Amino acid sequence: MSMIHDLEQIERTVLPTDPSFRAIAREEVDRHIFEARQNALADAKDEFLLSLMRLLALPGNGHTRLIPNNAISVLPLRFVTIGTAVRLLGAPSGFAGAIGTDLISINGIPVSEIEVAAEKFLAGTRQRKRVIGPILFAWPSALVRLGVLSGSGTIEYRIRNETGRISELVPDMANRVPGSALYPRNEHGKACALWSPTTFLEIRDFGPRGLLLVLPSFFDPGETELSNAVSEAASCARSHPYTPLLLDVRGNTGGNFLRTMPLIDAIMEGAQDRRVGVLVDKFTFSAAIVFVAILKHRLGARLKLVGEEMGDGLTFFAEGGTIDLSTGGAVVRYASAFHDWAEGRIDETTPSEIAEEIVPVGTLELDTTRIANSDDAASRDRFCREVLISLSV
């Protein structure tokens, strides 16, 4: 199999199927296909992958993109966007003291300028770009393409700790690791790249303050564990009809929102004056956003949205599928169905079971902007107690 074959797969399967490409001029698509083909013929794998990233980012649809993580090698540095700052969350033992610092510049170029240059390679909203973009900072080939690195020499990362002290990291360019070791395909923002939810539901009872229901994922290939968790959460909500509820869907990258409907129904059965809050962040995507949208539509002003802007908008293309490319494990994600939860619109691509649930939500404005600085259990519980207290104000 060859890179040309990979490109042909995209031309044959993705471009005719994905409705997000309908708004892109054919000449622009052809220009990027030509660039990708030239890189394929030159056997320049990383440049080919970056060309595909540009091609698939053209519609600006977060569900339509190239995921290069398994196909590339990166410097052993894990960068994650926390709030609006790019933070170093993982590094080799020699740089352990730098963990937790904010990235200021690379080879003298401010991070903000690099992010602007990287936008055309990244699909989706501003927040989604903040989620998937940091892998580019550790990928030398991307830094070359972004004009940060000449192709030889060293990379100097300037960092700043919480006291404001600035220092430099100059990693060994020969020391690289698989991209997927530090950058998961579904980025969750945790310090450990290999983190994955061990349960679909965690319940914390804060007594009269309220109940916390942590819902870290709606993706369940087995189709039973999520349903069982939703059923348990619904029973808990029904058995505490007057108790304030706080739902945590931070880091929930989506799955099947239809299977969460019993929980929404149970919440609606509670007392009319029950306070309900939802925690969200930039790592909240897709079906998790739809879950929040339906709750907001039903509860209106009774629902308080707390956290930061989510990773998707309310109008997007989803469903579809994935293609595994032969280029070292790269994956193409493409869409097939229209969703518009802002105005409640559907079209011929919207599956009937989803069309039946779509409602006009308008906008999902945050009631309170709050960003947790740590994801350990004690810090999370303290943060959630504070939010529950704020719901009663």
PDB file of all heavy atoms in Angstrom, residues 119-157:
ATOM      1  N   GLU A 119      -3.570  27.207  12.606  1.00  0.00           N
ATOM      2  CA  GLU A 119      -5.024  27.107  12.477  1.00  0.00           C
ATOM      3  C   GLU A 119      -5.462  26.378  11.213  1.00  0.00           C
ATOM      4  O   GLU A 119      -6.422  25.617  11.231  1.00  0.00           O
ATOM      5  CB  GLU A 119      -5.648  28.506  12.508  1.00  0.00           C
ATOM      6  CG  GLU A 119      -5.707  29.106  13.894  1.00  0.00           C
ATOM      7  CD  GLU A 119      -6.434  30.442  13.905  1.00  0.00           C
ATOM      8  OE1 GLU A 119      -6.788  30.920  12.805  1.00  0.00           O
ATOM      9  OE2 GLU A 119      -6.651  30.981  15.002  1.00  0.00           O
ATOM     10  N   LYS A 120      -4.776  26.600  10.099  1.00  0.00           N
ATOM     11  CA  LYS A 120      -5.220  26.007   8.833  1.00  0.00           C
ATOM     12  C   LYS A 120      -5.018  24.494   8.784  1.00  0.00           C
ATOM     13  O   LYS A 120      -5.556  23.820   7.906  1.00  0.00           O
ATOM     14  CB  LYS A 120      -4.506  26.669   7.664  1.00  0.00           C
ATOM     15  CG  LYS A 120      -2.999  26.588   7.689  1.00  0.00           C
ATOM     16  CD  LYS A 120      -2.400  27.328   6.496  1.00  0.00           C
ATOM     17  CE  LYS A 120      -0.885  27.409   6.547  1.00  0.00           C
ATOM     18  NZ  LYS A 120      -0.416  28.339   7.601  1.00  0.00           N
ATOM     19  N   PHE A 121      -4.262  23.941   9.730  1.00  0.00           N
ATOM     20  CA  PHE A 121      -4.056  22.495   9.779  1.00  0.00           C
ATOM     21  C   PHE A 121      -5.048  21.815  10.722  1.00  0.00           C
ATOM     22  O   PHE A 121      -5.099  20.581  10.768  1.00  0.00           O
ATOM     23  CB  PHE A 121      -2.630  22.184  10.261  1.00  0.00           C
ATOM     24  CG  PHE A 121      -1.557  22.637   9.313  1.00  0.00           C
ATOM     25  CD1 PHE A 121      -0.959  23.879   9.470  1.00  0.00           C
ATOM     26  CD2 PHE A 121      -1.156  21.838   8.255  1.00  0.00           C
ATOM     27  CE1 PHE A 121       0.021  24.312   8.595  1.00  0.00           C
ATOM     28  CE2 PHE A 121      -0.177  22.255   7.380  1.00  0.00           C
ATOM     29  CZ  PHE A 121       0.417  23.503   7.540  1.00  0.00           C
ATOM     30  N   LEU A 122      -5.802  22.605  11.468  1.00  0.00           N
ATOM     31  CA  LEU A 122      -6.643  22.072  12.532  1.00  0.00           C
ATOM     32  C   LEU A 122      -8.117  22.317  12.218  1.00  0.00           C
ATOM     33  O   LEU A 122      -8.494  23.420  11.814  1.00  0.00           O
ATOM     34  CB  LEU A 122      -6.280  22.724  13.866  1.00  0.00           C
ATOM     35  CG  LEU A 122      -4.797  22.616  14.256  1.00  0.00           C
ATOM     36  CD1 LEU A 122      -4.506  23.481  15.474  1.00  0.00           C
ATOM     37  CD2 LEU A 122      -4.408  21.170  14.515  1.00  0.00           C
ATOM     38  N   ALA A 123      -8.943  21.314  12.423  1.00  0.00           N
ATOM     39  CA  ALA A 123     -10.362  21.407  12.083  1.00  0.00           C
ATOM     40  C   ALA A 123     -11.195  21.795  13.291  1.00  0.00           C
ATOM     41  O   ALA A 123     -10.864  21.464  14.424  1.00  0.00           O
ATOM     42  CB  ALA A 123     -10.847  20.069  11.529  1.00  0.00           C
ATOM     43  N   GLY A 124     -12.293  22.497  13.025  1.00  0.00           N
ATOM     44  CA  GLY A 124     -13.266  22.743  14.077  1.00  0.00           C
ATOM     45  C   GLY A 124     -13.192  24.130  14.670  1.00  0.00           C
ATOM     46  O   GLY A 124     -12.604  25.058  14.118  1.00  0.00           O
ATOM     47  N   THR A 125     -13.792  24.280  15.846  1.00  0.00           N
ATOM     48  CA  THR A 125     -13.896  25.566  16.525  1.00  0.00           C
ATOM     49  C   THR A 125     -12.555  25.964  17.134  1.00  0.00           C
ATOM     50  O   THR A 125     -11.609  25.178  17.193  1.00  0.00           O
ATOM     51  CB  THR A 125     -14.931  25.486  17.654  1.00  0.00           C
ATOM     52  OG1 THR A 125     -14.463  24.547  18.641  1.00  0.00           O
ATOM     53  CG2 THR A 125     -16.290  25.031  17.140  1.00  0.00           C
ATOM     54  N   ARG A 126     -12.516  27.182  17.622  1.00  0.00           N
ATOM     55  CA  ARG A 126     -11.314  27.672  18.308  1.00  0.00           C
ATOM     56  C   ARG A 126     -10.933  26.760  19.470  1.00  0.00           C
ATOM     57  O   ARG A 126      -9.754  26.429  19.661  1.00  0.00           O
ATOM     58  CB  ARG A 126     -11.576  29.086  18.829  1.00  0.00           C
ATOM     59  CG  ARG A 126     -10.468  29.663  19.701  1.00  0.00           C
ATOM     60  CD  ARG A 126     -10.910  30.982  20.312  1.00  0.00           C
ATOM     61  NE  ARG A 126     -12.107  30.823  21.128  1.00  0.00           N
ATOM     62  CZ  ARG A 126     -12.692  31.823  21.772  1.00  0.00           C
ATOM     63  NH1 ARG A 126     -12.230  33.055  21.637  1.00  0.00           N
ATOM     64  NH2 ARG A 126     -13.764  31.603  22.520  1.00  0.00           N
ATOM     65  N   GLN A 127     -11.923  26.328  20.234  1.00  0.00           N
ATOM     66  CA  GLN A 127     -11.627  25.476  21.378  1.00  0.00           C
ATOM     67  C   GLN A 127     -11.136  24.093  20.942  1.00  0.00           C
ATOM     68  O   GLN A 127     -10.232  23.522  21.558  1.00  0.00           O
ATOM     69  CB  GLN A 127     -12.857  25.330  22.278  1.00  0.00           C
ATOM     70  CG  GLN A 127     -13.157  26.539  23.130  1.00  0.00           C
ATOM     71  CD  GLN A 127     -12.135  26.791  24.211  1.00  0.00           C
ATOM     72  OE1 GLN A 127     -10.989  27.141  23.943  1.00  0.00           O
ATOM     73  NE2 GLN A 127     -12.547  26.622  25.461  1.00  0.00           N
ATOM     74  N   ARG A 128     -11.721  23.533  19.890  1.00  0.00           N
ATOM     75  CA  ARG A 128     -11.247  22.234  19.421  1.00  0.00           C
ATOM     76  C   ARG A 128      -9.803  22.354  18.940  1.00  0.00           C
ATOM     77  O   ARG A 128      -8.990  21.456  19.181  1.00  0.00           O
ATOM     78  CB  ARG A 128     -12.128  21.682  18.296  1.00  0.00           C
ATOM     79  CG  ARG A 128     -11.692  20.286  17.853  1.00  0.00           C
ATOM     80  CD  ARG A 128     -12.553  19.757  16.727  1.00  0.00           C
ATOM     81  NE  ARG A 128     -13.804  19.178  17.192  1.00  0.00           N
ATOM     82  CZ  ARG A 128     -13.970  17.899  17.480  1.00  0.00           C
ATOM     83  NH1 ARG A 128     -12.952  17.065  17.420  1.00  0.00           N
ATOM     84  NH2 ARG A 128     -15.152  17.443  17.849  1.00  0.00           N
ATOM     85  N   LYS A 129      -9.476  23.444  18.299  1.00  0.00           N
ATOM     86  CA  LYS A 129      -8.102  23.637  17.854  1.00  0.00           C
ATOM     87  C   LYS A 129      -7.149  23.708  19.042  1.00  0.00           C
ATOM     88  O   LYS A 129      -6.014  23.240  18.962  1.00  0.00           O
ATOM     89  CB  LYS A 129      -8.006  24.904  16.996  1.00  0.00           C
ATOM     90  CG  LYS A 129      -8.688  24.758  15.638  1.00  0.00           C
ATOM     91  CD  LYS A 129      -8.644  26.044  14.838  1.00  0.00           C
ATOM     92  CE  LYS A 129      -9.353  25.868  13.496  1.00  0.00           C
ATOM     93  NZ  LYS A 129      -9.326  27.102  12.681  1.00  0.00           N
ATOM     94  N   ARG A 130      -7.613  24.294  20.131  1.00  0.00           N
ATOM     95  CA  ARG A 130      -6.794  24.338  21.340  1.00  0.00           C
ATOM     96  C   ARG A 130      -6.590  22.945  21.927  1.00  0.00           C
ATOM     97  O   ARG A 130      -5.581  22.672  22.573  1.00  0.00           O
ATOM     98  CB  ARG A 130      -7.436  25.248  22.387  1.00  0.00           C
ATOM     99  CG  ARG A 130      -7.304  26.732  22.069  1.00  0.00           C
ATOM    100  CD  ARG A 130      -8.089  27.572  23.051  1.00  0.00           C
ATOM    101  NE  ARG A 130      -7.795  28.993  22.873  1.00  0.00           N
ATOM    102  CZ  ARG A 130      -8.547  29.972  23.347  1.00  0.00           C
ATOM    103  NH1 ARG A 130      -9.647  29.684  24.030  1.00  0.00           N
ATOM    104  NH2 ARG A 130      -8.214  31.225  23.155  1.00  0.00           N
ATOM    105  N   VAL A 131      -7.555  22.065  21.700  1.00  0.00           N
ATOM    106  CA  VAL A 131      -7.456  20.696  22.203  1.00  0.00           C
ATOM    107  C   VAL A 131      -6.490  19.865  21.360  1.00  0.00           C
ATOM    108  O   VAL A 131      -5.605  19.185  21.888  1.00  0.00           O
ATOM    109  CB  VAL A 131      -8.853  20.019  22.234  1.00  0.00           C
ATOM    110  CG1 VAL A 131      -8.724  18.523  22.480  1.00  0.00           C
ATOM    111  CG2 VAL A 131      -9.721  20.662  23.305  1.00  0.00           C
ATOM    112  N   ILE A 132      -6.650  19.904  20.038  1.00  0.00           N
ATOM    113  CA  ILE A 132      -5.872  19.011  19.180  1.00  0.00           C
ATOM    114  C   ILE A 132      -4.566  19.625  18.696  1.00  0.00           C
ATOM    115  O   ILE A 132      -3.709  18.916  18.162  1.00  0.00           O
ATOM    116  CB  ILE A 132      -6.707  18.550  17.960  1.00  0.00           C
ATOM    117  CG1 ILE A 132      -7.092  19.736  17.057  1.00  0.00           C
ATOM    118  CG2 ILE A 132      -7.951  17.801  18.425  1.00  0.00           C
ATOM    119  CD1 ILE A 132      -7.884  19.345  15.820  1.00  0.00           C
ATOM    120  N   GLY A 133      -4.393  20.942  18.918  1.00  0.00           N
ATOM    121  CA  GLY A 133      -3.224  21.620  18.384  1.00  0.00           C
ATOM    122  C   GLY A 133      -1.889  21.365  19.066  1.00  0.00           C
ATOM    123  O   GLY A 133      -0.851  21.353  18.401  1.00  0.00           O
ATOM    124  N   PRO A 134      -1.834  21.162  20.387  1.00  0.00           N
ATOM    125  CA  PRO A 134      -0.535  21.069  21.055  1.00  0.00           C
ATOM    126  C   PRO A 134       0.398  19.967  20.556  1.00  0.00           C
ATOM    127  O   PRO A 134       1.616  20.067  20.751  1.00  0.00           O
ATOM    128  CB  PRO A 134      -0.919  20.850  22.528  1.00  0.00           C
ATOM    129  CG  PRO A 134      -2.215  21.599  22.669  1.00  0.00           C
ATOM    130  CD  PRO A 134      -2.934  21.322  21.373  1.00  0.00           C
ATOM    131  N   ILE A 135      -0.131  18.934  19.914  1.00  0.00           N
ATOM    132  CA  ILE A 135       0.749  17.899  19.373  1.00  0.00           C
ATOM    133  C   ILE A 135       1.720  18.504  18.354  1.00  0.00           C
ATOM    134  O   ILE A 135       2.855  18.025  18.201  1.00  0.00           O
ATOM    135  CB  ILE A 135      -0.062  16.749  18.736  1.00  0.00           C
ATOM    136  CG1 ILE A 135       0.850  15.560  18.415  1.00  0.00           C
ATOM    137  CG2 ILE A 135      -0.816  17.211  17.504  1.00  0.00           C
ATOM    138  CD1 ILE A 135       0.098  14.325  17.941  1.00  0.00           C
ATOM    139  N   LEU A 136       1.306  19.578  17.677  1.00  0.00           N
ATOM    140  CA  LEU A 136       2.164  20.215  16.692  1.00  0.00           C
ATOM    141  C   LEU A 136       3.412  20.819  17.331  1.00  0.00           C
ATOM    142  O   LEU A 136       4.460  20.926  16.688  1.00  0.00           O
ATOM    143  CB  LEU A 136       1.401  21.306  15.939  1.00  0.00           C
ATOM    144  CG  LEU A 136       0.137  20.878  15.183  1.00  0.00           C
ATOM    145  CD1 LEU A 136      -0.493  22.078  14.506  1.00  0.00           C
ATOM    146  CD2 LEU A 136       0.441  19.790  14.164  1.00  0.00           C
ATOM    147  N   PHE A 137       3.320  21.216  18.607  1.00  0.00           N
ATOM    148  CA  PHE A 137       4.455  21.840  19.275  1.00  0.00           C
ATOM    149  C   PHE A 137       5.575  20.848  19.573  1.00  0.00           C
ATOM    150  O   PHE A 137       6.721  21.251  19.788  1.00  0.00           O
ATOM    151  CB  PHE A 137       4.006  22.504  20.582  1.00  0.00           C
ATOM    152  CG  PHE A 137       2.944  23.550  20.401  1.00  0.00           C
ATOM    153  CD1 PHE A 137       1.946  23.717  21.341  1.00  0.00           C
ATOM    154  CD2 PHE A 137       2.933  24.360  19.279  1.00  0.00           C
ATOM    155  CE1 PHE A 137       0.960  24.684  21.173  1.00  0.00           C
ATOM    156  CE2 PHE A 137       1.957  25.325  19.099  1.00  0.00           C
ATOM    157  CZ  PHE A 137       0.969  25.494  20.047  1.00  0.00           C
ATOM    158  N   ALA A 138       5.228  19.557  19.611  1.00  0.00           N
ATOM    159  CA  ALA A 138       6.232  18.526  19.894  1.00  0.00           C
ATOM    160  C   ALA A 138       6.621  17.738  18.651  1.00  0.00           C
ATOM    161  O   ALA A 138       7.447  16.832  18.724  1.00  0.00           O
ATOM    162  CB  ALA A 138       5.693  17.563  20.961  1.00  0.00           C
ATOM    163  N   TRP A 139       6.040  18.066  17.515  1.00  0.00           N
ATOM    164  CA  TRP A 139       6.273  17.343  16.254  1.00  0.00           C
ATOM    165  C   TRP A 139       7.218  18.186  15.389  1.00  0.00           C
ATOM    166  O   TRP A 139       6.797  19.184  14.791  1.00  0.00           O
ATOM    167  CB  TRP A 139       4.935  17.128  15.558  1.00  0.00           C
ATOM    168  CG  TRP A 139       4.963  16.359  14.279  1.00  0.00           C
ATOM    169  CD1 TRP A 139       5.999  15.646  13.748  1.00  0.00           C
ATOM    170  CD2 TRP A 139       3.867  16.228  13.350  1.00  0.00           C
ATOM    171  NE1 TRP A 139       5.643  15.067  12.553  1.00  0.00           N
ATOM    172  CE2 TRP A 139       4.335  15.410  12.279  1.00  0.00           C
ATOM    173  CE3 TRP A 139       2.566  16.711  13.316  1.00  0.00           C
ATOM    174  CZ2 TRP A 139       3.525  15.088  11.202  1.00  0.00           C
ATOM    175  CZ3 TRP A 139       1.755  16.395  12.243  1.00  0.00           C
ATOM    176  CH2 TRP A 139       2.228  15.577  11.195  1.00  0.00           C
ATOM    177  N   PRO A 140       8.489  17.830  15.324  1.00  0.00           N
ATOM    178  CA  PRO A 140       9.460  18.662  14.591  1.00  0.00           C
ATOM    179  C   PRO A 140       9.060  18.959  13.153  1.00  0.00           C
ATOM    180  O   PRO A 140       9.253  20.088  12.677  1.00  0.00           O
ATOM    181  CB  PRO A 140      10.749  17.826  14.668  1.00  0.00           C
ATOM    182  CG  PRO A 140      10.623  17.088  15.961  1.00  0.00           C
ATOM    183  CD  PRO A 140       9.155  16.734  16.040  1.00  0.00           C
ATOM    184  N   SER A 141       8.502  17.994  12.437  1.00  0.00           N
ATOM    185  CA  SER A 141       8.107  18.247  11.047  1.00  0.00           C
ATOM    186  C   SER A 141       7.045  19.326  10.954  1.00  0.00           C
ATOM    187  O   SER A 141       7.034  20.131  10.011  1.00  0.00           O
ATOM    188  CB  SER A 141       7.601  16.958  10.398  1.00  0.00           C
ATOM    189  OG  SER A 141       8.640  16.010  10.277  1.00  0.00           O
ATOM    190  N   ALA A 142       6.141  19.352  11.923  1.00  0.00           N
ATOM    191  CA  ALA A 142       5.114  20.395  11.933  1.00  0.00           C
ATOM    192  C   ALA A 142       5.736  21.747  12.224  1.00  0.00           C
ATOM    193  O   ALA A 142       5.339  22.766  11.632  1.00  0.00           O
ATOM    194  CB  ALA A 142       4.047  20.065  12.974  1.00  0.00           C
ATOM    195  N   LEU A 143       6.706  21.778  13.116  1.00  0.00           N
ATOM    196  CA  LEU A 143       7.364  23.048  13.435  1.00  0.00           C
ATOM    197  C   LEU A 143       8.121  23.595  12.233  1.00  0.00           C
ATOM    198  O   LEU A 143       8.209  24.819  12.043  1.00  0.00           O
ATOM    199  CB  LEU A 143       8.293  22.866  14.635  1.00  0.00           C
ATOM    200  CG  LEU A 143       7.589  22.561  15.965  1.00  0.00           C
ATOM    201  CD1 LEU A 143       8.614  22.317  17.068  1.00  0.00           C
ATOM    202  CD2 LEU A 143       6.637  23.678  16.366  1.00  0.00           C
ATOM    203  N   VAL A 144       8.656  22.697  11.403  1.00  0.00           N
ATOM    204  CA  VAL A 144       9.289  23.140  10.159  1.00  0.00           C
ATOM    205  C   VAL A 144       8.235  23.774   9.255  1.00  0.00           C
ATOM    206  O   VAL A 144       8.423  24.862   8.695  1.00  0.00           O
ATOM    207  CB  VAL A 144       9.982  21.964   9.450  1.00  0.00           C
ATOM    208  CG1 VAL A 144      10.445  22.377   8.050  1.00  0.00           C
ATOM    209  CG2 VAL A 144      11.170  21.460  10.264  1.00  0.00           C
ATOM    210  N   ARG A 145       7.105  23.086   9.098  1.00  0.00           N
ATOM    211  CA  ARG A 145       6.033  23.578   8.214  1.00  0.00           C
ATOM    212  C   ARG A 145       5.468  24.904   8.724  1.00  0.00           C
ATOM    213  O   ARG A 145       5.039  25.753   7.933  1.00  0.00           O
ATOM    214  CB  ARG A 145       4.934  22.517   8.132  1.00  0.00           C
ATOM    215  CG  ARG A 145       3.827  22.822   7.140  1.00  0.00           C
ATOM    216  CD  ARG A 145       4.300  22.697   5.701  1.00  0.00           C
ATOM    217  NE  ARG A 145       3.230  22.958   4.761  1.00  0.00           N
ATOM    218  CZ  ARG A 145       2.425  22.028   4.247  1.00  0.00           C
ATOM    219  NH1 ARG A 145       2.592  20.751   4.592  1.00  0.00           N
ATOM    220  NH2 ARG A 145       1.477  22.350   3.403  1.00  0.00           N
ATOM    221  N   LEU A 146       5.494  25.104  10.035  1.00  0.00           N
ATOM    222  CA  LEU A 146       4.953  26.322  10.623  1.00  0.00           C
ATOM    223  C   LEU A 146       5.973  27.456  10.661  1.00  0.00           C
ATOM    224  O   LEU A 146       5.677  28.544  11.158  1.00  0.00           O
ATOM    225  CB  LEU A 146       4.444  26.037  12.040  1.00  0.00           C
ATOM    226  CG  LEU A 146       3.259  25.067  12.146  1.00  0.00           C
ATOM    227  CD1 LEU A 146       2.965  24.740  13.595  1.00  0.00           C
ATOM    228  CD2 LEU A 146       2.030  25.638  11.461  1.00  0.00           C
ATOM    229  N   GLY A 147       7.181  27.200  10.155  1.00  0.00           N
ATOM    230  CA  GLY A 147       8.198  28.244  10.107  1.00  0.00           C
ATOM    231  C   GLY A 147       8.918  28.483  11.409  1.00  0.00           C
ATOM    232  O   GLY A 147       9.573  29.510  11.588  1.00  0.00           O
ATOM    233  N   VAL A 148       8.818  27.522  12.331  1.00  0.00           N
ATOM    234  CA  VAL A 148       9.449  27.667  13.641  1.00  0.00           C
ATOM    235  C   VAL A 148      10.838  27.045  13.660  1.00  0.00           C
ATOM    236  O   VAL A 148      11.720  27.472  14.402  1.00  0.00           O
ATOM    237  CB  VAL A 148       8.574  27.013  14.731  1.00  0.00           C
ATOM    238  CG1 VAL A 148       9.221  27.105  16.102  1.00  0.00           C
ATOM    239  CG2 VAL A 148       7.198  27.666  14.745  1.00  0.00           C
ATOM    240  N   LEU A 149      11.042  26.050  12.831  1.00  0.00           N
ATOM    241  CA  LEU A 149      12.288  25.280  12.802  1.00  0.00           C
ATOM    242  C   LEU A 149      12.779  25.231  11.362  1.00  0.00           C
ATOM    243  O   LEU A 149      11.983  25.028  10.438  1.00  0.00           O
ATOM    244  CB  LEU A 149      12.026  23.875  13.346  1.00  0.00           C
ATOM    245  CG  LEU A 149      13.178  22.875  13.392  1.00  0.00           C
ATOM    246  CD1 LEU A 149      14.248  23.342  14.373  1.00  0.00           C
ATOM    247  CD2 LEU A 149      12.668  21.491  13.805  1.00  0.00           C
ATOM    248  N   SER A 150      14.080  25.375  11.171  1.00  0.00           N
ATOM    249  CA  SER A 150      14.637  25.393   9.818  1.00  0.00           C
ATOM    250  C   SER A 150      14.769  24.001   9.222  1.00  0.00           C
ATOM    251  O   SER A 150      14.962  23.848   8.026  1.00  0.00           O
ATOM    252  CB  SER A 150      16.012  26.064   9.827  1.00  0.00           C
ATOM    253  OG  SER A 150      16.935  25.295  10.581  1.00  0.00           O
ATOM    254  N   GLY A 151      14.674  23.000  10.047  1.00  0.00           N
ATOM    255  CA  GLY A 151      14.862  21.629   9.581  1.00  0.00           C
ATOM    256  C   GLY A 151      16.082  20.992  10.180  1.00  0.00           C
ATOM    257  O   GLY A 151      16.281  19.785  10.112  1.00  0.00           O
ATOM    258  N   SER A 152      16.934  21.807  10.772  1.00  0.00           N
ATOM    259  CA  SER A 152      18.114  21.300  11.471  1.00  0.00           C
ATOM    260  C   SER A 152      18.327  22.154  12.718  1.00  0.00           C
ATOM    261  O   SER A 152      17.618  23.136  12.940  1.00  0.00           O
ATOM    262  CB  SER A 152      19.345  21.374  10.562  1.00  0.00           C
ATOM    263  OG  SER A 152      19.589  22.726  10.182  1.00  0.00           O
ATOM    264  N   GLY A 153      19.289  21.793  13.516  1.00  0.00           N
ATOM    265  CA  GLY A 153      19.541  22.545  14.738  1.00  0.00           C
ATOM    266  C   GLY A 153      18.671  22.079  15.884  1.00  0.00           C
ATOM    267  O   GLY A 153      18.101  20.986  15.857  1.00  0.00           O
ATOM    268  N   THR A 154      18.538  22.922  16.884  1.00  0.00           N
ATOM    269  CA  THR A 154      17.822  22.548  18.101  1.00  0.00           C
ATOM    270  C   THR A 154      16.497  23.290  18.195  1.00  0.00           C
ATOM    271  O   THR A 154      16.212  24.220  17.430  1.00  0.00           O
ATOM    272  CB  THR A 154      18.656  22.881  19.345  1.00  0.00           C
ATOM    273  OG1 THR A 154      18.928  24.301  19.353  1.00  0.00           O
ATOM    274  CG2 THR A 154      19.972  22.121  19.339  1.00  0.00           C
ATOM    275  N   ILE A 155      15.684  22.851  19.147  1.00  0.00           N
ATOM    276  CA  ILE A 155      14.435  23.533  19.458  1.00  0.00           C
ATOM    277  C   ILE A 155      14.530  24.015  20.895  1.00  0.00           C
ATOM    278  O   ILE A 155      14.771  23.231  21.817  1.00  0.00           O
ATOM    279  CB  ILE A 155      13.221  22.600  19.301  1.00  0.00           C
ATOM    280  CG1 ILE A 155      13.133  22.062  17.872  1.00  0.00           C
ATOM    281  CG2 ILE A 155      11.934  23.351  19.656  1.00  0.00           C
ATOM    282  CD1 ILE A 155      11.976  21.105  17.651  1.00  0.00           C
ATOM    283  N   GLU A 156      14.347  25.312  21.084  1.00  0.00           N
ATOM    284  CA  GLU A 156      14.378  25.885  22.426  1.00  0.00           C
ATOM    285  C   GLU A 156      12.964  26.265  22.840  1.00  0.00           C
ATOM    286  O   GLU A 156      12.318  27.098  22.204  1.00  0.00           O
ATOM    287  CB  GLU A 156      15.273  27.125  22.466  1.00  0.00           C
ATOM    288  CG  GLU A 156      15.319  27.769  23.858  1.00  0.00           C
ATOM    289  CD  GLU A 156      16.126  29.052  23.867  1.00  0.00           C
ATOM    290  OE1 GLU A 156      17.368  28.961  23.949  1.00  0.00           O
ATOM    291  OE2 GLU A 156      15.511  30.136  23.767  1.00  0.00           O
ATOM    292  N   TYR A 157      12.481  25.632  23.891  1.00  0.00           N
ATOM    293  CA  TYR A 157      11.167  25.939  24.449  1.00  0.00           C
ATOM    294  C   TYR A 157      11.367  26.881  25.640  1.00  0.00           C
ATOM    295  O   TYR A 157      12.078  26.542  26.596  1.00  0.00           O
ATOM    296  CB  TYR A 157      10.467  24.672  24.921  1.00  0.00           C
ATOM    297  CG  TYR A 157      10.121  23.697  23.817  1.00  0.00           C
ATOM    298  CD1 TYR A 157      10.975  22.653  23.475  1.00  0.00           C
ATOM    299  CD2 TYR A 157       8.919  23.807  23.118  1.00  0.00           C
ATOM    300  CE1 TYR A 157      10.651  21.751  22.465  1.00  0.00           C
ATOM    301  CE2 TYR A 157       8.577  22.910  22.118  1.00  0.00           C
ATOM    302  CZ  TYR A 157       9.457  21.890  21.795  1.00  0.00           C
ATOM    303  OH  TYR A 157       9.131  21.001  20.800  1.00  0.00           O
TER     304      TYR A 157
END
